[in-house]
Amino acid sequence: PLTVIGGFARKLKQTKDPQRIESYSEIIFTQSQRLEEDFCSFMALVGFLFPGRHRKVRDRLDRYLRFFLADPQYQFPGDRQFLECEVQVDPEALQVLLDEFRKHLRCSSGTGETIGIEVKKDPTHAAVIFHSTAFQVFKEDKDVRLAIFRQVAYQLEGDFRMGHGWCRITLPLAGR
């Protein structure tokens, strides 16, 4: 949003056409609102970067994935039994992470294409894997939000990885 605002602010400064002034002003206003929302979301995520601040509880994984599972854009063709596994997490941190990740998915795919969800378990962790052709490998120095997703996942004693066509959020199982 910041580059869009800057570009249209420069155009606005150069034009005398009333229609373009109105159009550019509307774009700047819309992008400013988006920037403000993004900043608030960003700050909510940053609050979970500090270890030991929050309590951890045992809870079923499907509780945190309910919004994905209710959205027709996401498809879970796998065994629902995996969704019932219990994870040991800070519920607020995980919910904020998944909410922000869902917003990121909506913005980055933008096509409305179907995103597949898969859940795998090993003896100590559950991995939620999202599949979409829109996913690209990310570099932490290029996408700060995704780097923060990874750090929040680390605080949850899990992991966050994204590659071409997939994204994996790993969480610790309860009682490991």
Side-chain angles (χ1 to χ4, degrees):
L2 201 50
T3 36
V4 173
I5 292 168
F8 280 98
R10 282 188 291 283
K11 285 183 176 187
L12 180 63
K13 188 175 178 181
Q14 296 170 352
T15 190
K16 302 284 187 231
D17 180 2
Q19 286 182 314
R20 285 188 179 188
I21 289 172
E22 186 175 333
S23 173
Y24 296 163
S25 297
E26 183 61 34
I27 291 169
I28 292 169
F29 175 75
T30 302
Q31 292 301 314
S32 295
Q33 284 183 312
R34 183 174 162 215
L35 185 61
E36 185 177 341
E37 290 169 6
D38 285 350
F39 183 74
C40 290
S41 296
F42 180 76
M43 292 312 292
L45 274 171
V46 169
F48 293 105
L49 292 179
F50 304 99
R53 281 186 50 204
H54 305 283
R55 64 183 171 82
K56 292 194 177 172
V57 299
R58 264 177 103 121
D59 211 345
R60 285 176 35 157
L61 183 59
D62 60 353
R63 179 174 180 264
Y64 298 100
L65 297 176
R66 68 183 180 275
F67 294 110
F68 291 104
L69 299 171
D71 187 332
Q73 183 179 5
Y74 300 91
Q75 292 188 351
F76 182 80
D79 185 350
R80 295 245 175 213
Q81 177 181 342
F82 285 127
L83 294 171
E84 296 173 4
C85 68
E86 286 190 335
V87 291
Q88 182 85 23
V89 295
D90 173 339
E92 287 181 72
L94 181 56
Q95 196 61 62
V96 168
L97 173 66
L98 291 173
D99 288 348
E100 292 304 313
F101 181 62
R102 195 168 77 246
K103 287 179 197 174
H104 173 77
L105 291 180
R106 209 173 293 129
C107 292
S108 63
S109 68
T111 61
E113 75 176 72
T114 298
I115 297 173
I117 301 176
E118 175 183 13
V119 175
K120 292 183 177 180
K121 282 177 31 180
D122 67 27
T124 60
H125 287 81
V128 181
I129 306 157
F130 297 86
H131 299 278
S132 170
T133 57
F135 297 158
Q136 302 295 321
V137 178
F138 86 92
K139 295 173 178 47
E140 290 187 29
D141 59 335
K142 299 286 184 197
D143 197 328
V144 173
R145 178 168 295 188
L146 295 175
I148 291 174
F149 290 168
R150 177 174 284 166
Q151 292 304 315
V152 171
Y154 287 167
Q155 294 302 332
L156 292 168
E157 296 178 27
D159 196 10
F160 177 93
R161 299 283 173 192
M162 191 170 212
H164 186 71
W166 61 271
C167 177
R168 182 182 67 232
I169 300 171
T170 307
L171 301 167
L173 290 172
R176 59 182 171 120

